[in-house]
Amino acid sequence: MSKILYIKANVKPEGQSRTFKISDKFIEEYKLKNPKDEIITLDLYKENIDFLKGEDLSAVFGPKNDESRNHPILKYAYQFAEADKYVIAAPMWNLSIPAILKAYIDYVSVTGITFKYTANGPVGLCEGKKAVYIVGRGGSYSEGPATMLEMGDRYLKTIFAFFGISDFTTIAADNLDVIGEDVEAIIENAIKEAKETVKEF
Ligand SMILES: Cc1cc2nc3c(=O)[nH]c(=O)nc-3n(C[C@H](O)[C@H](O)[C@H](O)COP(=O)(O)O)c2cc1C
């Protein structure tokens, strides 16, 4: 039985996120294909995610003990490390990811839990796991001149690889805010891609 961590980051009210329309379908399809797996939904706006404070750094970088699992920040890192697969759903904000998702990454990037330092540099502790990132974007960044401007996908791919997770797939719905585009068709195509991706996930 696998444990799936479904990480959602969008401030929009229920039912309004195009990104979640696609990611919820991904999860629905995944459940149909893997009914015994456990899915943990982590809606970051409903969690106590905040910017790291000065006093948090000793917990993040210091030694861990039996109490660490109950620590308000470290508990997210343990939860992350104990998952087998990750589904991240977040819209593009200002060429990257919403700040709350970056703050969450700061919570889970913890020495001794998701990565460790060795004589040869840092090593990820989450090897062999896989991730899917589902993103809705106002403009087009998957191809064409704006590709270079996109920093959310590149960032997530890089930080997940840092944790040891190099099996990382992106499903992007581009052009959702471009006047004249068939937005419903774009979402339907992304859902189709999501259903294909589930088969191998
Ligand atoms: C705060 C904010 C920043 C955004 N920044 C960008 C951007 O840099 N590039 C872009 O193409 N779209 C940008 N958008 C548009 C969203 O990426 C787009 O509307 C996306 O489809 C939202 O997905 P959603 O319906 O799941 O919220 C931004 C939207 C918001 C609210």
Side-chain angles (χ1 to χ4, degrees):
M1 198 186 83
S2 293
K3 209 180 253 189
I4 289 79
L5 192 57
Y6 179 23
I7 304 159
K8 302 175 81 169
N10 198 345
V11 75
K12 279 189 179 170
E14 193 68 35
Q16 289 191 23
S17 163
R18 281 87 53 94
T19 306
F20 289 174
K21 262 188 196 151
I22 303 159
S23 59
D24 286 346
K25 281 279 176 204
F26 182 98
I27 293 292
E28 204 180 292
E29 188 77 5
Y30 185 88
K31 277 185 190 160
L32 282 176
K33 293 211 162 8
N34 307 275
K36 291 197 174 133
D37 284 3
E38 182 189 358
I39 298 181
I40 301 163
T41 301
L42 197 63
D43 185 335
L44 298 186
Y45 279 96
K46 293 182 183 151
E47 299 290 326
N48 289 318
I49 309 290
D50 198 354
F51 298 119
L52 283 182
K53 309 275 187 305
E55 63 267 26
D56 299 330
L57 297 183
S58 57
V60 170
F61 292 102
K64 313 296 178 282
N65 56 39
D66 290 346
E67 282 304 299
S68 300
R69 280 182 178 275
N70 301 321
H71 187 279
I73 290 175
L74 302 188
K75 68 175 186 182
Y76 289 103
Y78 283 107
Q79 181 188 51
F80 187 95
E82 283 160 14
D84 303 296
K85 302 177 189 179
Y86 309 87
V87 178
I88 309 113
M92 172 185 257
W93 276 13
N94 300 311
L95 304 178
S96 183
I97 53 174
I100 200 165
L101 179 53
K102 174 60 172 62
Y104 171 74
I105 297 289
D106 291 341
Y107 273 28
V108 300
S109 188
V110 176
T111 52
I113 304 178
T114 49
F115 77 98
K116 65 177 180 184
Y117 291 112
T118 72
N120 300 319
V123 172
L125 295 174
C126 304
E127 297 91 351
K129 304 182 179 199
K130 46 172 81 174
V132 165
Y133 168 42
I134 297 168
V135 55
R137 301 173 180 144
S140 172
Y141 299 84
S142 297
E143 50 191 35
T147 313
M148 289 297 290
L149 305 179
E150 198 292 320
M151 281 168 268
D153 184 36
R154 275 191 286 158
Y155 172 67
L156 286 178
K157 227 175 235 158
T158 307
I159 197 74
F160 270 67
F162 179 78
F163 298 146
I165 306 157
S166 50
D167 188 337
F168 189 102
T169 304
T170 302
I171 299 170
D174 278 357
N175 288 332
L176 292 178
D177 295 339
V178 175
I179 293 165
E181 286 285 345
D182 186 345
V183 171
E184 283 312 311
I186 295 169
I187 294 169
E188 272 315 307
N189 274 338
I191 288 173
K192 236 184 249 169
E193 193 181 336
K195 287 182 176 172
E196 279 304 306
T197 307
V198 165
K199 291 181 189 165
E200 305 294 321
F201 192 64

